[in-house]
Amino acid sequence: MPQFEFIKIVDIERDLIFQISTDYENFTKILPDYFKELKIIKKTESVAIIQEKLQFLGRTVDVLTEHRIEKPERHIVRMLDGQAKGSIFDERYEMYGEYTKITINVDFILHGSLKILGTLAKGKIKQSMNSMIDEFVNYAKVQSK
């Protein structure tokens, strides 16, 4: 299945961008075009299980996710069910001089109708992910002022 690596160097303090990127309770406000609904099923200090309704590639999908937070530099999201079960988003936030280097490794494992779509639309998946990351960074920039 499609695997991608996204790297962004941003002029935002690492702890702030990490805090925003792990504020999954507010993802519907931060990225409303992608996150339609969120329901926290279980939450500890470092792990949350969340039922999410996502808009992805023109489709609405329901997934159960695990968010694992390793402060202050790693956020791992695993899809526990749904048409992307087994997919992993591994986000790393590193200090890079006066900037922050964000590296996101994505391993998509798609099932059902998304499997066919994913095989045919690898470029569209990558473009959609890039757009989502850019929107997230823009939100973080506004919050840092």
Side-chain angles (χ1 to χ4, degrees), residues 1-6 34 55-58 83-84 87 89 106-111 113-133:
M1 271 301 120
Q3 294 182 342
F4 306 103
E5 180 177 71
F6 301 92
Y34 301 95
Q55 186 71 32
F56 183 70
L57 296 177
Q83 292 183 312
S87 295
F89 297 75
V106 180
D107 184 8
F108 273 114
I109 299 172
L110 303 174
H111 307 276
S113 61
L114 282 184
K115 185 175 185 174
I116 296 167
L117 184 62
T119 302
L120 299 173
K122 186 174 182 176
K124 190 170 182 177
I125 291 171
K126 192 170 184 175
Q127 180 183 16
S128 179
M129 286 292 303
N130 254 326
S131 294
M132 183 167 52
I133 293 166

Side-chain angles (χ1 to χ4, degrees), residues 6-19 21 72-74 91-103 133 136-137 140-141 144:
F6 301 92
I7 297 174
K8 296 273 185 196
I9 308 294
V10 297
D11 187 14
I12 303 170
E13 197 272 325
R14 182 190 63 178
D15 290 345
L16 174 63
I17 198 157
F18 185 81
Q19 176 205 1
S21 75
E73 57 197 26
R74 195 165 182 207
E91 307 169 10
R92 294 181 186 264
Y93 300 81
E94 302 171 70
M95 293 169 64
Y96 193 75
E98 296 180 17
Y99 299 93
T100 300
K101 179 181 178 184
I102 303 169
T103 304
I133 293 166
F136 169 75
V137 168
K141 283 181 181 179
S144 69

Side-chain angles (χ1 to χ4, degrees), residues 48-65:
I49 306 296
I50 304 172
Q51 185 69 47
E52 302 177 13
K53 183 173 286 210
L54 306 171
Q55 186 71 32
F56 183 70
L57 296 177
R59 297 172 184 249
T60 302
V61 294
D62 290 308
V63 294
L64 186 66
T65 59

Side-chain angles (χ1 to χ4, degrees), residues 57-90:
L57 296 177
R59 297 172 184 249
T60 302
V61 294
D62 290 308
V63 294
L64 186 66
T65 59
E66 175 191 76
H67 291 253
R68 181 169 302 276
I69 297 170
E70 299 173 7
K71 289 182 181 178
E73 57 197 26
R74 195 165 182 207
H75 177 207
I76 303 166
V77 180
R78 287 186 171 86
M79 303 294 182
L80 301 177
D81 74 356
Q83 292 183 312
K85 180 179 180 178
S87 295
I88 298 172
F89 297 75
D90 188 350

